[in-house]
Amino acid sequence: MTRHGQVIGIGADAIAEYKRLHTDVWLGVLAKISECNIRNYSIFLKEPENVLFAYFEYVGTDFEADMKKMAADPETQRWWTFCEPLQRPLDSRLEGEWWAEMEEVFHHD
């Protein structure tokens, strides 16, 4: 299992809609997340900075392949058409990233 922390900005005017979307996430999107070996997925909001922080645990053996599988899913692609316009990717993200992956510097069970 590997832990992942990711961060992205969100427009202040988009917060209410983002919360509404995630109160009623589509079942197909949730199923694809599970099918792609992601567990314990949470998204947190920090205001007034308007930053979203995502945490999840990956329990598979090929993260890149599972992320490609998720990205190829039509239902997930449609979901992203609602979410992505609300998000503000960080300028410092790596090439190919939407959410910026963060380095884990501490963990305690």
Side-chain angles (χ1 to χ4, degrees):
M1 185 273 294
T2 56
R3 290 176 293 279
H4 291 260
Q6 300 176 328
V7 65
I8 198 166
I10 185 166
D13 59 338
I15 292 172
E17 176 64 7
Y18 198 81
K19 286 180 177 181
R20 187 195 67 73
L21 284 168
H22 287 80
T23 297
D24 193 23
V25 179
W26 306 344
L27 294 179
V29 171
L30 295 175
K32 186 57 66 174
I33 289 169
S34 295
E35 183 183 326
C36 291
N37 297 301
I38 292 175
R39 304 293 184 271
N40 296 322
Y41 188 16
S42 297
I43 298 174
F44 299 87
L45 170 66
K46 174 63 175 114
E47 292 181 277
E49 292 84 355
N50 301 334
V51 175
L52 297 169
F53 165 73
Y55 170 82
F56 62 89
E57 296 168 353
Y58 177 71
V59 297
T61 58
D62 191 340
F63 183 74
E64 186 176 321
D66 279 332
M67 295 307 97
K68 286 180 181 177
K69 179 178 172 181
M70 184 179 299
D73 176 57
E75 183 78 351
T76 300
Q77 290 174 3
R78 195 166 79 82
W79 172 255
W80 289 344
T81 68
F82 291 90
C83 295
E84 286 181 353
L86 307 175
Q87 300 167 338
R88 303 289 177 261
L90 302 183
D91 292 337
S92 62
R93 72 190 188 277
L94 298 178
E95 186 176 331
E97 288 183 332
W98 184 255
W99 285 71
E101 189 81 22
M102 297 186 300
E103 175 187 1
E104 181 180 56
V105 296
F106 177 77
H107 175 77
H108 175 74
D109 280 324

